[in-house]
Amino acid sequence: METTMKAGLNVRRFKYVKKLVIDPRLEEVNSALAELIDVSTKHPKEKFASSADQLLLYQSLSYMLNAKKILDCGTFTGLSALSFALGCADDGHVYTIDVNKEFVDVGREYWDKAGVAGKITSILKPADEVVKEMAQKPEHLGSFDIAYLDVPKHLYEPVYEYIVPLLRPRGLLLVDNIFMSYGVLEDEANYDPRDTAVLDMAKFNKRISADERMMHNFIDIGDGLAIVVKK
Ligand SMILES: C[S@@+](CC[C@H](N)C(=O)[O-])C[C@H]1O[C@@H](n2cnc3c(N)ncnc32)[C@H](O)[C@@H]1O
């Protein structure tokens, strides 16, 4: 199958990883994920899609934790939701949040094809509202094994504050786009004041790295990924 793929920022590294890991794993894992990657990278908003190496990492982490409850903030075409669902426990479940029904509907066919549609609940509401409501329900507090933060950047901080109590101790938080096309690596004095995504991301990165409730790692994959463990 001809699979078009986002390379993230580091194209040389991606080509190497694609040959040895991504291509064989997409063959082996599930052709539905490969097909959805193809469809998503041809979508007019293809920039929204997580890169293929990230998606396979999410599947592995979900598998490693035998995750039972996963919160996926920012569904787009359902790539991250599908990856988590493919890796999670047999009785695991993914709650995936987005405000755009048209985007989410693209993914449904592939969730079905992969045989995991029953493991995914799509919630069509703003992520900050959903996590706030969840945090008011005792059954959700401390119950999520994994949360993925991949919504507009101004929402990262408010959504994060509710995600922390929703995660179980040793639960995993994944945050996408932490390098913001390497924009955050510039000297702060050189930040473009009109580039609100870089400003929001830089502020958020400082916030989480100073949060002593969590153990942080910043990884150079895709557009930068924080892998954060709740203590
Ligand atoms: C970067 S994309 C998500 C990509 C997806 N996680 C993946 O792995 O391919 C961000 C998504 O956030 C959605 N979004 C925008 N505003 C939102 C809001 N207030 N609450 C939830 N989702 C929102 C957009 O519709 C878009 O689909």
Side-chain angles (χ1 to χ4, degrees):
M1 179 190 314
E2 170 63 25
T3 306
T4 48
M5 286 177 193
K6 274 181 48 154
L9 299 175
N10 188 331
V11 175
R12 278 188 73 216
R13 181 206 64 207
F14 185 84
K15 278 188 181 158
Y16 184 76
V17 175
K18 180 176 182 314
K19 190 170 69 181
L20 288 184
V21 175
I22 298 173
D23 287 345
R25 272 193 64 188
L26 283 177
E27 282 283 307
E28 159 221 324
V29 167
N30 204 314
S31 59
L33 180 58
E35 284 175 33
L36 185 54
I37 289 172
D38 253 345
V39 168
S40 305
T41 46
K42 289 171 187 154
H43 190 281
K45 294 280 186 194
E46 56 87 21
K47 275 189 153 189
F48 283 169
S50 298
S51 63
D53 49 353
Q54 278 179 286
L55 293 167
L56 291 172
L57 175 66
Y58 303 157
Q59 187 208 10
S60 297
L61 293 171
S62 179
Y63 179 76
M64 179 180 80
L65 292 173
N66 200 28
K68 289 194 186 288
K69 211 169 159 186
I70 298 159
L71 188 61
D72 176 49
C73 301
T75 315
F76 183 44
T77 54
L79 285 165
S80 45
L82 177 55
S83 304
F84 289 125
L86 286 170
C88 75
D90 291 344
D91 58 347
H93 204 85
V94 181
Y95 298 83
T96 183
I97 309 168
D98 207 292
V99 287
N100 189 317
K101 182 174 182 301
E102 231 175 276
F103 292 164
V104 178
D105 284 346
V106 173
R108 291 183 192 278
E109 176 188 342
Y110 299 89
W111 298 345
D112 251 336
K113 270 193 187 178
V116 294
K119 288 179 155 187
I120 302 174
T121 298
S122 157
I123 303 172
L124 290 166
K125 269 171 88 167
D128 48 336
E129 285 179 27
V130 175
V131 290
K132 187 174 177 190
E133 284 165 16
M134 280 182 165
Q136 285 159 358
K137 295 190 178 148
E139 71 265 28
H140 287 312
L141 287 174
S143 71
F144 282 89
D145 298 297
I146 302 177
Y148 183 35
L149 195 42
D150 194 14
V151 286
K153 305 317 153 204
H154 69 280
L155 290 175
Y156 271 26
E157 215 165 331
V159 173
Y160 170 79
E161 299 303 342
Y162 287 109
I163 280 180
V164 176
L166 289 172
L167 281 172
R168 66 164 167 87
R170 296 180 190 249
L172 188 65
L173 169 65
L174 304 164
V175 184
D176 199 19
N177 306 110
I178 56 162
F179 295 151
M180 200 41 83
S181 305
Y182 289 156
V184 298
L185 309 188
E186 289 293 324
D187 261 357
E188 279 185 46
N190 297 334
Y191 285 171
D192 179 347
R194 291 162 302 180
D195 197 342
T196 54
V198 167
L199 298 176
D200 285 336
M201 202 65 242
K203 184 164 168 272
F204 178 78
N205 287 343
K206 278 190 189 165
R207 163 75 188 102
I208 60 166
S209 53
D211 189 341
E212 292 185 352
R213 297 171 296 175
M214 314 294 273
M215 199 187 279
H216 308 88
N217 305 276
F218 283 6
I219 307 294
D220 193 2
I221 182 172
D223 188 23
L225 179 74
I227 299 185
V228 184
V229 182
K230 182 171 169 179
K231 291 181 190 164

